[in-house]
Amino acid sequence: MRSFASPVTDRKIKFALVGCGRIAQNHFSAMKQHGNRAEIVDVCDIDPVALAKATELTGARGHSRLSDLLASTEADIVVLTTPSGLHAEQTTEIAASGRHVMTEKPMATRWQDGLRMVKACDEANVRLFVVKQNRRNATLQLLKRAVEQKRFGRIYMVNLNVFWTRPQEYYDSASWRGTWEFDGGALMNQASHYVDLLDWLIGPIESLQAYTATLARNIETEDTAVLGVRWRSGALGSMNVTMLTYPKNLEGSITIIGEKGTVRVGGVAVNEISHWEFEDAHPDDAEVAGASYATTSVYGFGHPLYYDNVINVMRGEAEPETDGREGLKSLEVLIAAYLSARDGKRIALPLDY
């Protein structure tokens, strides 16, 4: 058990954010929605244009270096929306300053970096939050409850599809995109939230085997991948991922086939329940029609809900939904998939005992 600083109950929770690019906009919007309990006090980016836009949007103080931000900020939590390969070093620096850390997915691009992040925060007695906002989607919350209520009976098969598109221009927009060190490929970056569902929904994985390929994009990492999965429960499943879907994002789905139930949650980002059938009725069935929602964004609408949990944790009113150790679970699956694809063999989990 770890001890943390006393809950903050007499003022707003103060956030700082590092990395003012694409996904940072979702964080700014989420903080604004929680403006009665949260405020952003500092932002940081090495790109002066992105930094200027962020300071104008938020009114926060701007910094070009993390060390300068940490030297003066009053933030309780520093949010990392930087390239994933930077998270480990930045988390270590922030934790050493005595501040909590919230990091976007994936928490790291290497297994040892993920372990190092958890260790650094443990030793500094600060919290490490890993953003898994898709778990808060209404569709997935219903599916999670159905699994926990054992409505499927024994789960036999699980299939996930992520058929999206990322043109070459997307990867060319920043030198770190599509690199092993800073970004990872289609599995690690774009499909990371779907990899997270493998353990969160179905349970511990016994082993997996993967194939990856770089079929069309000029990048170091993969643009396409397939996984075969065996869970400890005995269930079998597969995951199919490509960023080459013509001409636009087509599908982000999960299908679960069990002894007493079959469910398919599809749409472009698991936002539509297209099939919901169980042997026994349950009051949750009445919520199915209202759980689906329209979206043009693969990010979903979970960031404000994720921030709600973080704020509640800081106020001493809740436990973290996804901390560093929870983040390690999906990172472990990602690393196992890459090891399998590289070496052409089945990888058993856990990676470490």
Side-chain angles (χ1 to χ4, degrees):
M1 298 295 292
R2 318 213 73 80
S3 61
F4 301 101
S6 300
V8 179
T9 57
D10 59 346
R11 59 171 173 80
K12 296 179 181 180
I13 307 301
K14 297 179 180 180
F15 290 87
L17 183 142
V18 184
C20 302
R22 179 170 167 150
I23 194 62
Q25 309 312 309
N26 292 57
H27 289 259
F28 293 149
S29 176
M31 286 184 240
K32 185 177 181 180
Q33 291 186 44
H34 291 290
N36 61 329
R37 297 185 297 155
E39 62 179 322
I40 182 165
V41 294
D42 291 276
V43 292
C44 178
D45 202 297
I46 60 173
D47 180 352
V49 175
L51 181 60
K53 289 181 179 177
T55 55
E56 181 179 358
L57 176 68
T58 64
R61 291 179 294 272
H63 308 268
S64 59
R65 299 195 309 172
L66 174 59
S67 58
D68 292 341
L69 182 151
L70 293 176
S72 62
T73 187
E74 297 177 345
D76 304 295
I77 303 176
V78 180
V79 183
L80 294 177
T81 52
T82 49
S84 303
L86 298 175
H87 291 172
E89 290 298 328
Q90 292 174 333
T91 294
T92 301
E93 186 176 355
I94 296 164
S97 77
R99 296 174 177 86
H100 306 288
V101 182
M102 181 198 299
T103 178
E104 263 289 347
K105 60 77 184 171
M107 62 187 294
T109 55
R110 296 185 174 96
W111 179 236
Q112 293 303 322
D113 281 351
L115 295 174
R116 185 155 58 98
M117 293 166 69
V118 172
K119 185 172 185 288
C121 290
D122 281 353
E123 291 179 347
N125 284 322
V126 298
R127 295 187 184 276
L128 174 58
F129 300 95
V130 180
V131 179
K132 301 287 183 184
Q133 84 278 359
N134 277 15
R135 293 186 181 189
R136 300 302 300 269
N137 290 359
T139 52
L140 295 180
Q141 284 288 310
L142 268 181
L143 184 57
K144 176 70 170 175
R145 291 210 297 270
V147 172
E148 291 177 338
Q149 292 158 356
K150 302 189 184 306
R151 296 187 67 193
F152 286 95
R154 185 176 186 186
I155 292 177
Y156 297 136
M157 178 162 282
V158 181
N159 174 260
L160 294 96
N161 292 328
V162 184
F163 300 150
W164 292 347
T165 187
R166 293 293 181 276
Q168 186 63 45
E169 292 77 13
Y170 165 84
Y171 296 103
D172 291 343
S173 66
S175 60
W176 55 269
R177 293 194 186 279
T179 62
W180 285 114
E181 182 176 5
F182 294 110
D183 193 25
L187 276 175
M188 177 164 276
N189 189 314
Q190 287 78 33
S192 176
H193 288 299
Y194 292 79
V195 171
D196 179 57
L197 301 181
L198 296 173
D199 180 280
W200 182 63
L201 280 174
I202 311 303
I205 290 173
E206 183 265 337
S207 63
L208 61 79
Q209 184 141 13
Y211 289 95
T212 62
T214 310
L215 299 176
R217 300 295 176 250
N218 182 26
I219 54 177
E220 288 181 1
T221 55
E222 84 286 357
D223 54 34
T224 301
V226 294
L227 269 69
V229 181
R230 179 192 294 275
W231 280 267
R232 291 184 201 168
S233 66
L236 300 178
S238 62
M239 184 170 184
N240 308 290
V241 176
T242 186
M243 293 301 113
L244 304 178
T245 307
Y246 178 84
K248 61 182 180 180
N249 294 333
L250 174 67
E251 175 180 335
S253 70
I254 179 170
T255 302
I256 301 179
I257 298 173
E259 179 184 10
K260 299 178 181 179
T262 298
V263 169
R264 185 173 192 275
V265 183
V268 72
V270 284
N271 57 298
E272 297 175 5
I273 299 178
S274 57
H275 190 89
W276 184 274
E277 185 174 14
F278 289 100
E279 181 178 275
D280 298 320
H282 188 278
D284 278 358
D285 297 341
E287 299 181 29
V288 169
S292 298
Y293 55 93
T295 183
T296 56
S297 168
V298 297
Y299 296 133
F301 301 103
H303 279 91
L305 296 170
Y306 187 80
Y307 267 81
D308 180 63
N309 174 252
V310 171
I311 293 168
N312 288 337
V313 170
M314 294 299 297
R315 291 175 56 84
E317 299 167 352
E319 292 297 318
E321 292 181 352
T322 51
D323 59 11
R325 287 174 172 76
E326 192 68 17
L328 284 176
K329 292 180 180 178
S330 53
L331 180 61
E332 184 176 45
V333 176
L334 288 164
I335 299 302
Y338 284 137
L339 290 173
S340 173
R342 183 193 67 180
D343 299 338
K345 63 181 183 181
R346 183 179 68 89
I347 301 294
L349 297 180
L351 293 176
D352 296 325
Y353 290 94

